[in-house]
């Protein structure tokens, strides 16, 4: 089957130009002006933008956490992603204490296999470290897993400074890279205890952001980067939320370190006022790190404009309002996380491109090309070039639509930005050359495949 996308404007990480795209089977065969091919199905995309399929490189599907399991497994979660234009996710296969890395990966393959409507790859989140795991890392990287995650907080996942040093050293030997959740656990624990001591309860979500101030992120970012500097290896700071944390990254880069940074739409379009909503509705916005101030938002947008951030991902970790009420009498028991898979591209277009904060090319870089390069998915994914998978998002820049829980594909029963009207959305989404979603509706479900690694991580 051959398809000819005619009349559209192709968006890349460096330039935007009007080109036709010829697709044969699952791949892009040719690109150019006024293409023609006998027998090809012609798809008129005049007036539309053509993006490479978006990549969400930070998701938590079917994750056991905080005494429950995320509302979205790979079934509903990947449908939410696909409906918004994301054609590939990178989920965190998670090693619990006492487990081997191979066991963790096999569990995630079982969770995702046959249930995914977009393509998927894995990072490996590590919580246990010993000689056996160190040896196993060589086999894991040889099998195509090159990105790993470490946590500097959370009782079940936290690793200490020595362990971070040793894991980074081993990953340097093997050509892997670690993304790190940076928050100071000691300060968080102390401040959470202080709330109970001072008030006799932890009922009010408005007290939550004070237990995880920006300083907890900044301290952990600074400490991580000093450890990475001793090892002399690049690292990724995931879900960066604050001006203070960004300052630590800038300081390390000035000294010559290579530091990659990810942020998330929630830190760009929502702020800590959500925690002061009546009736403790702020539980639905409890994420870690927390939502920050408008000043932090402005600094993150500035960093995006100046190309100081490499990827924008969701940290999609959804729960229902019922699950959030597990912490009804104690906010420290609320499972942290929010949905966001479906709306990420539209939020970046509406609040970023349309409002002049970033360019179309930067949107492509942050949502497609950057994560593809960093996480070994390019050249298969992340670009519209001959030979690439025909993951094509036909973007209607004028379409208006409203975010709502009623229409979203996520199994979460609330929408964090309920009622928000956005301009610009994915009109049609092609996964490896085949129409998979249209105007938010899933046309083909369960067509996702596991994606193996390509070239070395390097995004310049």
């Amino acid at each position: 089957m051959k398809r000819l996308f005619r009349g559209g404007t192709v968006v890349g990480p460096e330039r935007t130009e009007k080109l036709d795209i010829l697709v044969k089977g699952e791949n892009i065969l040719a690109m150019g002006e006024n293409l023609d091919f006998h027998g090809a199905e012609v798809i008129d995309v005049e007036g539309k933008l053509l993006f490479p399929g978006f990549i969400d490189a930070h998701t938590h599907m079917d994750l056991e956490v905080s005494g429950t399991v995320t509302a979205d497994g790979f079934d509903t979660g990947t449908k939410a992603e696909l409906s918004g234009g994301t054609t590939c996710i990178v989920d965190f296969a998670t090693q619990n204490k006492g487990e081997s890395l191979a066991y963790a990966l096999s569990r995630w393959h079982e969770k995702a296999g046959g249930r995914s409507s977009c393509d998927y790859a894995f990072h490996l989140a590590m919580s246990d470290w010993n000689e056996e795991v160190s040896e196993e890392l060589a086999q894991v990287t040889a099998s195509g897993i090159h990105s790993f995650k470490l946590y500097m907080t959370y009782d079940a996942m936290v690793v200490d400074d020595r362990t971070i040093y040793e894991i980074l050293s081993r990953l340097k030997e093997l050509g892997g890279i670690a993304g790190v959740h940076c928050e100071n656990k000691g300060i968080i624990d102390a401040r959470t205890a202080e709330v109970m001591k001072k008030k006799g309860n932890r009922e009010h979500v408005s007290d939550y952001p004070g237990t995880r101030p920006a300083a907890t992120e900044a301290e952990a970012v600074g400490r991580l980067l000093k450890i990475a500097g001793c090892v002399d290896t690049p690292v990724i700071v995931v879900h960066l939320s604050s001006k203070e944390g960004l300052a630590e990254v800038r300081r390390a880069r000035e000294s010559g370190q290579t530091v990659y940074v990810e942020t998330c739409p929630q830190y760009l379009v929502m702020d800590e006022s959500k925690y002061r909503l009546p009736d403790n509705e702020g539980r639905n916005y409890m994420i870690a790190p927390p939502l920050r101030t408008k000043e932090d938002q402005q600094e993150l947008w500035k960093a995006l404009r100046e190309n100081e951030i490499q990827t924008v991902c969701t940290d999609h970790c959804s729960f229902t309002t019922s699950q959030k009420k597990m912490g009804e009498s104690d906010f420290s028991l609320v499972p942290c996380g929010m949905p966001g898979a479906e709306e990420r591209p539209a939020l970046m277009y509406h609040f970023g491109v349309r409002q002049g904060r970033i360019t179309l090319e930067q949107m492509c870089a942050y949502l497609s090309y950057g994560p593809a390069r960093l996480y070994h998915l390019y050249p298969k994914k992340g670009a519209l070039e001959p030979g690439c998978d025909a993951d094509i998002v036909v973007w209607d820049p004028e379409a208006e639509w409203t975010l709502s829980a009623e229409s979203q594909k996520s199994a979460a029963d609330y929408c964090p930005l309920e009622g928000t009207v956005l301009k610009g959305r994915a009109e049609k989404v092609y996964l490896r050359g085949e129409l998979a979603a249209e105007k938010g509706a899933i046309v083909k479900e369960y067509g996702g495949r596991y994606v193996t690694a390509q070239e070395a991580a390097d995004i310049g």
Side-chain angles (χ1 to χ4, degrees), residues 43-224:
I43 300 170
D44 182 6
V45 288
E46 187 74 35
K48 304 298 191 294
L49 302 171
L50 302 182
F51 284 97
F54 303 122
I55 298 168
D56 188 356
H58 191 144
T59 67
H60 298 283
M61 307 298 182
D62 200 3
L63 176 68
E64 300 97 339
V65 63
S66 300
T68 187
V69 183
T70 51
D72 283 311
F74 284 84
D75 184 343
T76 56
T78 58
K79 287 175 183 174
E81 296 276 10
L82 187 65
S83 69
T86 295
T87 54
C88 185
I89 64 170
V90 191
D91 199 71
F92 288 98
T94 299
Q95 174 215 31
N96 297 310
K97 299 287 186 185
E99 293 178 353
S100 69
L101 302 181
Y103 177 75
L105 282 169
S106 68
R107 285 192 69 223
W108 251 258
H109 277 293
E110 289 175 6
K111 291 171 185 278
R115 297 181 180 90
S116 297
S117 293
C118 69
D119 286 350
Y120 59 94
F122 295 134
H123 311 289
L124 217 167
M126 300 175 63
S127 65
D128 217 355
W129 181 246
N130 51 50
E131 284 299 323
E132 289 77 14
V133 173
S134 178
E135 288 300 315
E136 193 183 11
L137 265 182
Q139 302 164 24
V140 169
T141 54
S143 72
I145 302 292
H146 297 279
S147 48
F148 300 80
K149 187 177 183 182
L150 306 176
Y151 290 84
M152 299 174 80
T153 189
Y154 297 132
D155 290 340
M157 296 298 297
V158 64
V159 289
D160 61 22
D161 292 353
R162 174 177 175 174
T163 300
I164 293 172
Y165 179 92
E166 291 179 353
I167 292 175
L168 293 184
S169 298
R170 182 64 167 145
L171 291 179
K172 181 181 178 181
E173 293 174 359
L174 297 170
I177 193 167
V180 185
H181 179 131
C182 296
E183 289 184 286
N184 182 297
K185 184 179 186 297
I187 297 173
I188 294 168
D189 290 348
R191 286 205 163 198
T192 303
E194 282 176 2
V195 173
M196 180 65 78
K197 185 176 181 180
K198 290 178 180 177
K199 297 191 172 184
N201 65 70
R202 286 192 290 254
E203 295 177 3
H204 300 291
V205 177
S206 58
D207 291 324
Y208 170 67
T211 65
R212 304 177 100 108
T216 64
E217 179 176 68
E219 187 282 330
V221 170
R223 180 159 41 100
L224 166 69

Side-chain angles (χ1 to χ4, degrees), residues 333-345:
L333 301 180
V334 174
C336 280
M338 282 197 300
E342 187 169 341
E343 56 266 44
R344 175 185 62 134

Side-chain angles (χ1 to χ4, degrees), residues 120-331:
Y120 59 94
F122 295 134
H123 311 289
L124 217 167
M126 300 175 63
S127 65
D128 217 355
W129 181 246
N130 51 50
E131 284 299 323
E132 289 77 14
V133 173
S134 178
E135 288 300 315
E136 193 183 11
L137 265 182
Q139 302 164 24
V140 169
T141 54
S143 72
I145 302 292
H146 297 279
S147 48
F148 300 80
K149 187 177 183 182
L150 306 176
Y151 290 84
M152 299 174 80
T153 189
Y154 297 132
D155 290 340
M157 296 298 297
V158 64
V159 289
D160 61 22
D161 292 353
R162 174 177 175 174
T163 300
I164 293 172
Y165 179 92
E166 291 179 353
I167 292 175
L168 293 184
S169 298
R170 182 64 167 145
L171 291 179
K172 181 181 178 181
E173 293 174 359
L174 297 170
I177 193 167
V180 185
H181 179 131
C182 296
E183 289 184 286
N184 182 297
K185 184 179 186 297
I187 297 173
I188 294 168
D189 290 348
R191 286 205 163 198
T192 303
E194 282 176 2
V195 173
M196 180 65 78
K197 185 176 181 180
K198 290 178 180 177
K199 297 191 172 184
N201 65 70
R202 286 192 290 254
E203 295 177 3
H204 300 291
V205 177
S206 58
D207 291 324
Y208 170 67
T211 65
R212 304 177 100 108
T216 64
E217 179 176 68
E219 187 282 330
V221 170
R223 180 159 41 100
L224 166 69
L225 297 183
K226 287 179 174 62
I227 296 170
C230 289
V231 179
D232 188 24
T233 193
V235 287
I236 306 162
V237 176
V238 301
H239 51 51
L240 185 74
S241 67
S242 67
K243 178 180 179 180
E244 288 183 47
L246 182 60
E248 295 294 333
V249 171
R250 288 169 171 160
R251 189 173 297 115
R253 285 174 173 169
E254 286 171 3
S255 71
Q257 279 188 253
T258 299
V259 186
Y260 300 112
V261 175
E262 164 201 291
T263 194
C264 309
Q266 52 267 35
Y267 300 120
L268 299 169
V269 302
M270 288 181 264
D271 64 67
E272 62 183 5
S273 65
K274 295 290 187 183
Y275 300 122
R276 298 190 292 274
L277 290 171
D279 302 320
N280 267 347
E281 188 185 337
R283 279 192 300 267
N284 294 342
Y285 299 88
M286 280 184 60
I287 57 177
L291 300 174
R292 303 294 188 190
T293 67
K294 291 188 181 298
E295 183 181 0
D296 289 302
Q297 282 183 4
Q298 292 168 2
E299 196 65 21
L300 291 174
W301 278 116
K302 179 182 176 185
L304 286 167
R305 186 169 62 251
E306 296 178 359
N307 300 308
E308 294 181 273
I309 293 172
Q310 283 66 53
T311 65
V312 177
C313 304
T314 62
D315 195 4
H316 181 90
C317 188
S318 63
F319 300 96
T320 64
T321 52
S322 176
Q323 288 175 298
K324 287 286 189 176
K325 285 182 179 179
M326 290 167 61
E328 195 163 19
S329 60
D330 183 348
F331 66 72

